[in-house]
PDB file of all heavy atoms in Angstrom:
ATOM      1  N   SER F 120     200.416  74.121  63.972  1.00  0.00           N
ATOM      2  CA  SER F 120     201.160  74.120  65.232  1.00  0.00           C
ATOM      3  C   SER F 120     202.037  72.886  65.387  1.00  0.00           C
ATOM      4  O   SER F 120     202.707  72.724  66.420  1.00  0.00           O
ATOM      5  CB  SER F 120     200.186  74.241  66.414  1.00  0.00           C
ATOM      6  OG  SER F 120     199.748  75.575  66.540  1.00  0.00           O
ATOM      7  N   SER F 121     202.061  71.991  64.406  1.00  0.00           N
ATOM      8  CA  SER F 121     202.935  70.820  64.448  1.00  0.00           C
ATOM      9  C   SER F 121     204.391  71.280  64.411  1.00  0.00           C
ATOM     10  O   SER F 121     204.678  72.375  63.922  1.00  0.00           O
ATOM     11  CB  SER F 121     202.693  69.927  63.225  1.00  0.00           C
ATOM     12  OG  SER F 121     201.346  69.972  62.801  1.00  0.00           O
ATOM     13  N   THR F 122     205.300  70.451  64.894  1.00  0.00           N
ATOM     14  CA  THR F 122     206.726  70.751  64.735  1.00  0.00           C
ATOM     15  C   THR F 122     207.209  70.048  63.471  1.00  0.00           C
ATOM     16  O   THR F 122     207.202  68.805  63.413  1.00  0.00           O
ATOM     17  CB  THR F 122     207.542  70.248  65.947  1.00  0.00           C
ATOM     18  OG1 THR F 122     207.019  70.848  67.122  1.00  0.00           O
ATOM     19  CG2 THR F 122     209.006  70.610  65.790  1.00  0.00           C
ATOM     20  N   ILE F 123     207.579  70.819  62.474  1.00  0.00           N
ATOM     21  CA  ILE F 123     207.983  70.241  61.183  1.00  0.00           C
ATOM     22  C   ILE F 123     209.222  70.967  60.646  1.00  0.00           C
ATOM     23  O   ILE F 123     209.655  71.966  61.216  1.00  0.00           O
ATOM     24  CB  ILE F 123     206.835  70.311  60.137  1.00  0.00           C
ATOM     25  CG1 ILE F 123     206.477  71.770  59.821  1.00  0.00           C
ATOM     26  CG2 ILE F 123     205.614  69.551  60.625  1.00  0.00           C
ATOM     27  CD1 ILE F 123     205.574  71.917  58.600  1.00  0.00           C
ATOM     28  N   ALA F 124     209.757  70.473  59.521  1.00  0.00           N
ATOM     29  CA  ALA F 124     210.923  71.121  58.917  1.00  0.00           C
ATOM     30  C   ALA F 124     210.549  72.528  58.468  1.00  0.00           C
ATOM     31  O   ALA F 124     209.477  72.743  57.883  1.00  0.00           O
ATOM     32  CB  ALA F 124     211.415  70.301  57.731  1.00  0.00           C
ATOM     33  N   SER F 125     211.459  73.450  58.706  1.00  0.00           N
ATOM     34  CA  SER F 125     211.214  74.848  58.348  1.00  0.00           C
ATOM     35  C   SER F 125     210.939  75.002  56.846  1.00  0.00           C
ATOM     36  O   SER F 125     210.036  75.742  56.444  1.00  0.00           O
ATOM     37  CB  SER F 125     212.447  75.654  58.764  1.00  0.00           C
ATOM     38  OG  SER F 125     212.277  76.966  58.412  1.00  0.00           O
ATOM     39  N   HIS F 126     211.701  74.247  56.013  1.00  0.00           N
ATOM     40  CA  HIS F 126     211.505  74.411  54.562  1.00  0.00           C
ATOM     41  C   HIS F 126     210.130  73.895  54.119  1.00  0.00           C
ATOM     42  O   HIS F 126     209.558  74.408  53.152  1.00  0.00           O
ATOM     43  CB  HIS F 126     212.645  73.757  53.763  1.00  0.00           C
ATOM     44  CG  HIS F 126     212.706  72.263  53.852  1.00  0.00           C
ATOM     45  ND1 HIS F 126     212.015  71.452  52.988  1.00  0.00           N
ATOM     46  CD2 HIS F 126     213.360  71.451  54.704  1.00  0.00           C
ATOM     47  CE1 HIS F 126     212.255  70.179  53.324  1.00  0.00           C
ATOM     48  NE2 HIS F 126     213.062  70.158  54.358  1.00  0.00           N
ATOM     49  N   VAL F 127     209.582  72.920  54.838  1.00  0.00           N
ATOM     50  CA  VAL F 127     208.228  72.433  54.511  1.00  0.00           C
ATOM     51  C   VAL F 127     207.199  73.489  54.927  1.00  0.00           C
ATOM     52  O   VAL F 127     206.240  73.749  54.191  1.00  0.00           O
ATOM     53  CB  VAL F 127     207.936  71.072  55.185  1.00  0.00           C
ATOM     54  CG1 VAL F 127     206.485  70.656  54.968  1.00  0.00           C
ATOM     55  CG2 VAL F 127     208.886  70.007  54.651  1.00  0.00           C
ATOM     56  N   ALA F 128     207.426  74.124  56.077  1.00  0.00           N
ATOM     57  CA  ALA F 128     206.513  75.196  56.514  1.00  0.00           C
ATOM     58  C   ALA F 128     206.486  76.321  55.474  1.00  0.00           C
ATOM     59  O   ALA F 128     205.426  76.849  55.143  1.00  0.00           O
ATOM     60  CB  ALA F 128     206.956  75.740  57.878  1.00  0.00           C
ATOM     61  N   VAL F 129     207.660  76.655  54.938  1.00  0.00           N
ATOM     62  CA  VAL F 129     207.736  77.715  53.930  1.00  0.00           C
ATOM     63  C   VAL F 129     206.996  77.278  52.654  1.00  0.00           C
ATOM     64  O   VAL F 129     206.205  78.046  52.088  1.00  0.00           O
ATOM     65  CB  VAL F 129     209.219  78.053  53.612  1.00  0.00           C
ATOM     66  CG1 VAL F 129     209.311  79.002  52.416  1.00  0.00           C
ATOM     67  CG2 VAL F 129     209.893  78.655  54.834  1.00  0.00           C
ATOM     68  N   GLU F 130     207.232  76.024  52.261  1.00  0.00           N
ATOM     69  CA  GLU F 130     206.595  75.515  51.027  1.00  0.00           C
ATOM     70  C   GLU F 130     205.065  75.564  51.145  1.00  0.00           C
ATOM     71  O   GLU F 130     204.370  76.028  50.218  1.00  0.00           O
ATOM     72  CB  GLU F 130     207.060  74.063  50.801  1.00  0.00           C
ATOM     73  CG  GLU F 130     206.514  73.418  49.550  1.00  0.00           C
ATOM     74  CD  GLU F 130     206.895  71.933  49.458  1.00  0.00           C
ATOM     75  OE1 GLU F 130     207.814  71.484  50.170  1.00  0.00           O
ATOM     76  OE2 GLU F 130     206.237  71.228  48.667  1.00  0.00           O
ATOM     77  N   VAL F 131     204.546  75.127  52.280  1.00  0.00           N
ATOM     78  CA  VAL F 131     203.086  75.097  52.463  1.00  0.00           C
ATOM     79  C   VAL F 131     202.535  76.523  52.552  1.00  0.00           C
ATOM     80  O   VAL F 131     201.508  76.835  51.942  1.00  0.00           O
ATOM     81  CB  VAL F 131     202.700  74.259  53.709  1.00  0.00           C
ATOM     82  CG1 VAL F 131     201.200  74.307  53.947  1.00  0.00           C
ATOM     83  CG2 VAL F 131     203.158  72.810  53.540  1.00  0.00           C
ATOM     84  N   ALA F 132     203.251  77.403  53.258  1.00  0.00           N
ATOM     85  CA  ALA F 132     202.785  78.796  53.390  1.00  0.00           C
ATOM     86  C   ALA F 132     202.759  79.487  52.019  1.00  0.00           C
ATOM     87  O   ALA F 132     201.839  80.251  51.723  1.00  0.00           O
ATOM     88  CB  ALA F 132     203.688  79.564  54.361  1.00  0.00           C
ATOM     89  N   GLN F 133     203.764  79.196  51.205  1.00  0.00           N
ATOM     90  CA  GLN F 133     203.789  79.818  49.868  1.00  0.00           C
ATOM     91  C   GLN F 133     202.649  79.295  48.993  1.00  0.00           C
ATOM     92  O   GLN F 133     202.029  80.051  48.236  1.00  0.00           O
ATOM     93  CB  GLN F 133     205.144  79.562  49.196  1.00  0.00           C
ATOM     94  CG  GLN F 133     206.230  80.466  49.776  1.00  0.00           C
ATOM     95  CD  GLN F 133     207.618  80.165  49.235  1.00  0.00           C
ATOM     96  OE1 GLN F 133     207.834  79.128  48.602  1.00  0.00           O
ATOM     97  NE2 GLN F 133     208.558  81.069  49.484  1.00  0.00           N
ATOM     98  N   ALA F 134     202.364  77.990  49.123  1.00  0.00           N
ATOM     99  CA  ALA F 134     201.247  77.417  48.352  1.00  0.00           C
ATOM    100  C   ALA F 134     199.925  78.036  48.812  1.00  0.00           C
ATOM    101  O   ALA F 134     199.034  78.307  47.992  1.00  0.00           O
ATOM    102  CB  ALA F 134     201.217  75.901  48.518  1.00  0.00           C
ATOM    103  N   ALA F 135     199.801  78.275  50.119  1.00  0.00           N
ATOM    104  CA  ALA F 135     198.583  78.907  50.648  1.00  0.00           C
ATOM    105  C   ALA F 135     198.452  80.325  50.080  1.00  0.00           C
ATOM    106  O   ALA F 135     197.384  80.720  49.612  1.00  0.00           O
ATOM    107  CB  ALA F 135     198.644  78.946  52.178  1.00  0.00           C
TER     108      ALA F 135
END
Side-chain angles (χ1 to χ4, degrees):
S120 283
S121 327
T122 303
I123 64 168
S125 178
H126 67 89
V127 174
V129 171
E130 181 186 343
V131 176
Q133 284 175 347

